[in-house]
Amino acid sequence: MDKRLNGKKAFILGVAPGNIGACIARTYLGHGAQVVIGGRRADATRQVAEELGTEHVLCDITDETSLRSAVSTAAAKMGGLDIGVNSTGWGLLKPFLETDRADLEQMTAVQFTGPFQFFQALLQNMPSGGSIIQISSVTATIMFEDHAAYMGTKAGIDHVIRCIANEFGPRGIRANSIAAGGIEDGPMSGGGMSVPGVRDLYMREIPLQRPGVAANVANAALWLASDESSFVTGQTLHVSGGQTLRRNPSIGEIYAQFAAQS
């Protein structure tokens, strides 16, 4: 395997067994990067670290002190920081009129305020430039019912990424988002993809006629972390098989397929 990240130091937040963050960590390690992973669940984060043979830190993205400590600790462990990836998220599915203030505050903490402060901490530990990557979603672009809080915060933090690219480009900072969609082995959409009727609905809307896998997202994150993308910043890279050219299935269509299986 070519070592596109040789000598680079990466901190990946939001890592748990079997998720996209873990896949990104594995890919980065395979390409020669030094990696520290972060997560909020001690046992889960330790499990992935042991499997990958890398170091880990505990980090709650909703806690500013925890965030700043985790980033500075990761940088200290590696002797610097070149790459920061936010792979956290909360997939709340709830009707618009039933989404209450507590839901909004939690969603904002996980998907807007927390990432904003994570990026601040990364910038403070990247004096010589680096690559910041946000794992976003196709739903920041195309509609899906009962998902407004999730979609709105993802879209908002994508715009923050553009702000970072604009303001910190002169410092050698690149910032980009990856909008993932239809990932069959990811925790967000994988459950639905395992239902044949739901899978068929998505295949109708994906021009490539197949679901994606976490490795597709990890390979995009590899490119954005590498020097091969050194002139790319402020962008949202869609890794969705072209789904944003079409639509998401409606929530009614999806529920109908779940009902048909019961």
Side-chain angles (χ1 to χ4, degrees), residues 92-104 146 148-149:
L92 177 68
L93 191 65
K94 196 170 187 179
F96 191 94
L97 294 178
E98 295 175 17
T99 304
D100 59 25
R101 187 177 187 88
D103 295 326
L104 294 174
D146 298 350

Side-chain angles (χ1 to χ4, degrees), residues 105-259:
E105 289 176 351
Q106 180 68 10
M107 182 62 75
T108 302
V110 173
Q111 294 202 161
F112 189 83
T113 306
F116 194 112
Q117 293 180 326
F118 177 54
F119 301 148
Q120 288 176 321
L122 290 174
L123 289 164
Q124 290 163 350
N125 285 275
M126 290 178 164
S128 302
S131 176
I132 294 174
I133 300 167
Q134 162 69 20
I135 305 303
S136 186
S137 167
V138 294
T139 60
T141 303
I142 56 176
M143 292 295 102
F144 188 55
E145 302 94 335
D146 298 350
H147 216 35
Y150 176 92
M151 294 160 65
T153 48
K154 284 292 190 184
I157 207 65
D158 285 347
H159 202 60
V160 169
I161 283 288
R162 289 188 280 273
C163 294
I164 294 169
N166 178 56
E167 294 181 34
F168 294 92
R171 255 184 51 184
I173 296 290
R174 297 188 298 111
N176 296 281
S177 293
I178 298 173
I183 305 301
E184 69 175 345
D185 57 350
M188 288 289 185
S189 56
M193 287 290 185
S194 66
V195 177
V198 174
R199 185 187 179 93
D200 291 344
L201 290 174
Y202 275 95
M203 294 311 96
R204 187 181 68 191
E205 307 301 345
I206 296 176
L208 289 183
Q209 294 287 287
R210 62 175 176 83
V213 292
N216 298 136
V217 181
N219 286 333
L222 170 64
W223 182 68
L224 287 175
S226 75
D227 292 338
E228 294 172 8
S229 63
S230 62
F231 202 52
V232 177
T233 193
Q235 304 304 306
T236 298
L237 177 61
H238 287 85
V239 180
S240 65
Q243 187 183 350
T244 51
L245 299 171
R246 298 182 183 177
R247 62 188 280 269
N248 270 310
S250 73
I251 196 70
E253 292 171 324
I254 290 173
Y255 285 162
Q257 289 302 323
F258 275 106

Side-chain angles (χ1 to χ4, degrees), residues 49-123:
E50 290 174 353
E51 290 173 355
L52 298 179
T54 192
E55 295 201 62
H56 71 284
V57 295
L58 292 183
C59 182
D60 180 353
I61 198 167
T62 68
D63 183 316
E64 182 178 4
T65 300
S66 176
L67 274 174
R68 294 191 181 281
S69 175
V71 175
S72 61
T73 299
K77 284 178 179 291
M78 294 183 287
L81 193 59
D82 305 297
I83 304 158
V85 180
N86 177 37
S87 186
T88 62
W90 177 37
L92 177 68
L93 191 65
K94 196 170 187 179
F96 191 94
L97 294 178
E98 295 175 17
T99 304
D100 59 25
R101 187 177 187 88
D103 295 326
L104 294 174
E105 289 176 351
Q106 180 68 10
M107 182 62 75
T108 302
V110 173
Q111 294 202 161
F112 189 83
T113 306
F116 194 112
Q117 293 180 326
F118 177 54
F119 301 148
Q120 288 176 321
L122 290 174
L123 289 164

